[in-house]
Amino acid sequence: MNAMLQPRFVTRVHQRARPPRRWYYDRDAETMPRETLGRLQLRRLRATVKSAWQNVPLMRARMEAAGVKPGDIGALDQVSALPFTQKVDLRDAYPFGLFARPRQSLVRLHASSGTTGKPTVVGYTRHDITLWSDLMARSLACAGARPGDVIHNAYGYGLFTGGLGAHYGAERLGATVVPVSGGMTERQVMLMRDFGARVLCATPSYALNIAEVAEQQGVDLRASSLEIGVFGAEPWSEAMRAEIEARLGVKAVDIYGLSEIMGPGVAVECEAQDGLHGWEDHFLFEIIDPESGRPRPDGEAGELVITTLTKQALPMIRYRTRDITRLTRGRCACGRTHLRLQRITGRNDDMLIIRGVNVYPSQIEAVLVGLPGIAPHYQLVVERRGNMDELTIEVEGDADAAPRVQHHVKSMIGISAAVVVKKPGEVPRSQGKAVRVRDLRPKSR
Ligand code: DLL
């Protein structure tokens, strides 16, 4: 090993003078009084609605059909008069139909893989990229990252927004970013140790994959310089957080985002790990009843709807995320004034209904991760036998684990499931977003 990369050097890096514990990337914005924030949101909302009206024919037609004009929005709660935007609108407008700026003024395109047909395409002007980098730097700092840190970025690079989003944010923060992307996990373990990574950015399932490979290699990452994990892009549970924290020796922080709105950095937890601060100076958050579309008050669970307030290329008005969460606006110990989203419990479109019981994969995960003798790698297989949906949980663990898993899933979630215990390594490992569900039911349902 290169002498410069010996552990002694790594220790010295981490003993350097650090900014004080309470440190904000953008103190004025993050601690802005709520009243000022509200006024800023209204001004920006009006500008966004105007831009969508002037530049996106579909949005204008929808507003006209709903009988609203940009000038009608005189207060924030009047946002509920505006029509929703949905993922299917982006698909129908494929590739560039919802852009408010000419393609020539875009400096970047990303796309999220559609489960069927064409992907969802999103675009950014230079200003949008700067904004995203700033919000991602703010988010990383909120999670505990600091200028000068080595940030090991294992989010996938490419059309997925995770890799480049975290990358630009880390650079903007003044950190040293290692653009490793997903895969070649043994090498990742070596690089994290040798480069003295303090922060790991990855999906939570890939973080566990890294922990497992490190353990197999006899490497104790808990004894390394690693202190913080910034994990998101897929639902995960408190039980999963405890597992990752114990095995990697990190503080595991939840980060949320979606391509249609920007990418990662829409919301993130702070050191309090008590909900994710949604950056309200750039986004307007609402919760609605997914059935009726009507707004729900703070504290009630429902579908998250987001309106962008500053994006140029792809302004989104009342975008239905399908993600289920709750909003709270109480004071946070960290001093930030921005509202908090509770952990996303799942999506209202990947919710499984098994013989009448609504089940989120994250609920099953929470049961599995808490059981001794069970590895936190699993897949859920849903099949249709006769008229009945059958759920099979494939999991790795002790040979006699099946009845215990069955019993706990039944008693905690209320569904009967078959359990197949696989040998270590047989459940496919994630290198990005984990595929948790194999839905083998006929598509015509
Ligand atoms: O997953 C952006 C991202 C990258 C977020 C890296 C965080 C870290 P998409 O590929 O468009 O964008 O997928 C967005 O992923 O609507 C949620 O259903 C899910 N998701 C993202 N973050 C979380 C999270 C990125 N922290 C979709 N918890 C979203 C639960 C999450 N689900």
Side-chain angles (χ1 to χ4, degrees):
M1 187 195 295
N2 181 336
M4 285 298 284
L5 301 179
Q6 292 293 332
R8 229 160 48 82
F9 171 76
V10 169
T11 311
R12 242 189 17 240
V13 168
H14 283 271
Q15 281 171 351
R16 73 189 187 282
R18 283 255 173 78
R21 198 169 143 69
R22 179 162 292 187
W23 188 85
Y24 305 98
Y25 175 75
D26 185 346
R27 176 183 291 270
D28 289 349
E30 291 170 62
T31 63
M32 188 179 286
R34 292 209 53 87
E35 235 183 74
T36 320
L37 201 48
R39 280 199 300 273
L40 180 67
Q41 283 192 305
L42 180 59
R43 201 171 64 239
R44 290 180 166 177
L45 173 65
R46 288 165 63 95
T48 298
V49 173
K50 193 169 159 197
S51 163
W53 173 277
Q54 287 173 342
N55 301 305
V56 188
L58 177 89
M59 294 212 177
R60 182 183 189 137
R62 291 258 172 93
M63 284 188 240
E64 280 173 347
V68 265
K69 288 193 288 299
D72 297 343
I73 309 294
L76 278 179
D77 58 5
Q78 286 167 358
V79 72
S80 58
L82 293 166
F84 293 117
T85 312
Q86 312 215 41
K87 200 174 182 87
V88 63
D89 297 325
L90 279 149
R91 292 229 177 95
D92 291 349
Y94 177 85
F96 305 144
L98 290 191
F99 290 175
R101 295 290 162 100
R103 208 274 306 138
Q104 290 72 6
S105 66
L106 308 187
V107 298
R108 176 108 57 91
L109 298 174
H110 278 282
S112 64
S113 48
T115 41
T116 50
K118 304 282 190 196
T120 306
V121 180
V122 298
Y124 305 78
T125 62
R126 189 169 302 285
H127 173 269
D128 290 334
I129 293 288
T130 303
L131 174 84
W132 183 16
S133 309
D134 265 328
L135 284 182
M136 215 23 228
R138 191 199 280 190
S139 299
L140 289 168
C142 184
R146 297 290 177 262
D149 282 346
V150 172
I151 299 188
H152 185 96
N153 185 18
Y155 283 121
Y157 280 65
L159 288 175
F160 174 52
T161 51
L164 283 168
H167 184 106
Y168 272 57
E171 284 192 357
R172 187 80 173 173
L173 178 65
T176 308
V177 60
V178 183
V180 69
S181 196
M184 298 177 72
T185 311
E186 290 193 5
R187 192 182 66 162
Q188 299 226 3
V189 172
M190 177 186 78
L191 296 180
M192 276 162 73
R193 218 173 37 157
D194 293 353
F195 293 172
R198 180 169 174 264
V199 180
L200 166 65
C201 295
T203 58
S205 58
Y206 190 56
L208 263 181
N209 191 343
I210 292 177
E212 187 181 48
V213 169
E215 285 157 17
Q216 283 162 2
Q217 288 179 285
V219 175
D220 187 358
L221 285 174
R222 292 170 305 180
S224 75
S225 50
L226 202 61
E227 288 178 23
I228 293 167
V230 187
F231 303 132
E234 64 188 7
W236 53 310
S237 56
E238 277 308 312
M240 184 73 101
R241 171 163 20 219
E243 172 95 18
I244 296 175
E245 291 194 332
R247 286 172 72 174
L248 283 178
V250 294
K251 185 162 185 161
V253 175
D254 195 359
I255 185 163
Y256 171 79
L258 61 167
S259 335
E260 297 90 321
I261 293 302
M262 178 176 79
V266 172
V268 67
E269 282 182 327
C270 62
E271 68 219 20
Q273 290 176 306
D274 184 20
L276 296 83
H277 288 285
W279 301 127
E280 288 183 273
D281 46 344
H282 297 280
F283 309 106
L284 185 67
F285 298 90
E286 297 173 79
I287 295 290
I288 60 159
D289 175 334
E291 299 297 321
S292 69
R294 276 197 284 277
R296 282 194 172 156
D298 282 357
E300 275 189 29
E303 182 180 334
L304 179 67
V305 170
I306 307 178
T307 300
T308 63
L309 298 176
T310 45
K311 267 190 34 201
Q312 291 182 334
L314 189 58
M316 273 292 160
I317 294 187
R318 301 195 83 208
Y319 184 72
R320 290 190 62 160
T321 65
R322 302 281 167 195
D323 293 318
I324 305 295
T325 183
R326 288 182 290 125
L327 301 180
T328 52
R329 283 170 225 257
R331 278 188 78 78
C332 183
C334 74
R336 291 179 182 83
T337 49
H338 296 236
L339 61 65
R340 276 170 287 166
L341 282 60
Q342 291 314 302
R343 182 185 279 288
I344 309 283
T345 51
R347 294 174 57 85
N348 66 13
D349 56 359
D350 80 356
M351 184 179 74
L352 298 169
I353 306 179
I354 311 287
R355 294 186 297 278
V357 182
N358 294 355
V359 190
Y360 289 109
S362 56
Q363 286 177 286
I364 294 182
E365 175 184 302
V367 173
L368 296 178
V369 176
L371 286 178
I374 296 290
H377 307 287
Y378 68 95
Q379 275 195 335
L380 310 179
V381 184
V382 194
E383 288 159 292
R384 192 146 176 98
R385 300 214 180 97
N387 288 322
M388 300 280 272
D389 287 336
E390 302 280 349
L391 172 67
T392 304
I393 302 173
E394 295 184 351
V395 68
E396 289 172 17
D398 301 342
D400 58 355
R404 274 186 298 134
V405 172
Q406 227 164 9
H407 168 75
H408 280 89
V409 168
K410 175 78 185 165
S411 65
M412 297 182 65
I413 307 174
I415 49 158
S416 305
V419 176
V420 175
V421 179
K422 301 246 171 182
K423 293 204 191 71
E426 278 189 359
V427 172
R429 295 297 187 262
S430 140
Q431 304 210 330
K433 285 182 198 254
V435 178
R436 298 300 195 194
V437 180
R438 293 199 331 260
D439 195 337
L440 306 178
R441 290 174 290 187
K443 290 284 173 278
S444 57
R445 288 176 78 248

